[in-house]
Amino acid sequence: MREDHWRPIGPARHQLAEAARWHDGRLYYTDLLRGTLHAWDPARPGRVRTPADLGVPLGAVAPVAGRAGEWIAAAGDGIVRLGPTGPVRWLARPEAGADRPRRMNDAGCDPAGRFWATSMAADAAEGAGSLYRVDTDGGVHRVLAGLTVPNGPVFAPDGTVLYLADSARGEITAHALDPATGELGRSRTLVRLPAAQGRPDGMAVDARGRLWVAAWGAGTVRCHAPDGRLLGASAVGTPHVSSVAFGGGLMFATTARHRLPEPDALAGAVLARRSEVAAPPAAAYREEAGTRNGNTAAAAMDRISYIAYGNSHKPPPAGGRTP
């Protein structure tokens, strides 16, 4: 693999590949609208496994510390736990019964082990999205409302800043974060992209604190300094770039066929290129001892019910903006 060229990791072309995460020497990512989780092992490059198929939109996952094969995920209308072979357990379904169909969109853990997840309206209605925080005791809290298509969230290496993109608005905000409590402080607009430069989608933070941004619609991955300055950009070769991750000496970018009338040959591929950028693996959710069954809302064990979109893998209604 040449340093200046992106290459697909396999032949699959996904409708909406998203949420690339490096964990335990493998790349994990979702096909969001199909509700599937995929895993790619560089030691077995010709094979991509599908550890989970939920049947409802699956935005993003994070590993659970100390529990091999277990994940916490933003899926359907809430937060779920996925086991390696067992059932899915809802921790909370904060978007169930909303005034319009809504789904979870993106998610990730901060360095302290809290899980942060975003939601949006299925039709990307203005201001219908939220940011939720899942504490290590299993409690789920809405911490921001009035968002439209929120992506990220990612964190400074020391856990004192949360970066959040709103793709529909073309902006990335930086929020002060108390690492001890998970409380958000003052926020500021870090990056604002004109439409011609794409819409900020999934993001990653490297070991030096630089912010890497997938620019949906522009076919690029951008690198920004912590103060927002653009440090460089890499053209991926297909317009809809949805997330970025680092691991194993590689840089990864997920892409989509979604909303492309005539998808090109790379649309929907997961792409990789050689990279010397160092970045930590995906942070894990760290549940407190004694909270295995979670809070009251999480006590019931249940398979995901196909309440929002049915079990036919049909995507949410079209007509919205960036996924």
Side-chain angles (χ1 to χ4, degrees):
M1 186 181 298
R2 291 176 54 188
E3 288 189 355
D4 58 343
H5 283 282
W6 293 88
R7 293 285 184 266
I9 65 170
R13 299 295 184 265
H14 302 280
Q15 183 70 9
L16 181 51
E18 271 276 15
R21 306 286 186 264
W22 185 259
H23 169 65
D24 197 24
R26 299 175 181 85
L27 179 74
Y28 292 85
Y29 64 93
T30 70
D31 191 337
L32 191 152
L33 298 180
R34 286 190 59 84
T36 48
L37 175 65
H38 302 274
W40 178 78
D41 186 342
R44 305 180 67 182
R47 180 188 177 201
V48 175
R49 296 187 299 110
T50 304
D53 184 347
L54 276 65
V56 295
L58 173 59
V61 303
V64 177
R67 296 189 176 276
E70 290 197 20
W71 304 87
I72 186 171
D77 55 19
I79 313 297
V80 299
R81 283 285 293 269
L82 309 179
T85 57
V88 173
R89 176 164 56 94
W90 290 101
L91 296 184
R93 296 171 64 181
E95 299 295 1
D99 57 348
R100 62 197 317 140
R102 300 183 190 182
R103 64 166 173 83
M104 307 307 290
N105 195 48
D106 203 355
C109 285
D110 65 25
R114 291 173 286 257
F115 184 67
W116 300 72
T118 69
S119 70
M120 59 176 284
D123 62 357
E126 173 70 26
S130 297
L131 173 67
Y132 295 92
R133 187 188 72 231
V134 183
D135 290 333
T136 56
D137 65 359
V140 180
H141 311 275
R142 179 187 273 115
V143 294
L144 287 176
L147 308 171
T148 299
V149 184
N151 276 291
V154 294
F155 304 87
D158 64 1
T160 61
V161 181
L162 178 152
Y163 299 104
L164 186 68
D166 196 320
S167 301
R169 298 169 182 171
E171 64 181 26
I172 301 169
T173 50
H175 302 257
L177 174 63
D178 185 331
T181 66
E183 295 297 321
L184 295 182
R186 295 182 62 180
S187 66
R188 58 192 171 93
T189 299
L190 187 75
V191 176
R192 183 174 284 115
L193 294 183
Q197 296 180 21
R199 298 295 184 181
D201 203 316
M203 302 185 291
V205 175
D206 67 22
R208 295 168 54 186
R210 296 175 299 184
L211 183 66
W212 297 79
V213 182
W216 177 276
T220 60
V221 174
R222 302 164 59 93
C223 179
H224 290 266
D227 63 5
R229 288 177 296 118
L230 178 65
L231 301 177
S234 174
V236 168
T238 186
H240 287 178
V241 191
S242 53
S243 73
V244 58
F246 297 91
L250 298 170
M251 178 180 178
F252 300 95
T254 57
T255 72
R257 299 167 62 86
H258 188 55
R259 304 201 189 287
L260 284 178
E262 298 182 3
D264 58 78
L266 291 180
V270 178
L271 305 171
R273 60 176 290 183
R274 298 288 181 188
S275 176
E276 296 182 357
V277 174
Y285 175 62
R286 300 183 179 279
E287 62 183 353
E288 295 177 10
T291 61
R292 179 70 181 96
N293 289 327
N295 55 22
T296 302
M301 301 289 287
D302 189 22
R303 292 278 180 182
I304 279 187
S305 57
Y306 305 130
I307 59 164
Y309 307 108
N311 60 1
S312 59
H313 287 158
K314 293 180 180 179
R321 285 163 285 188
T322 314

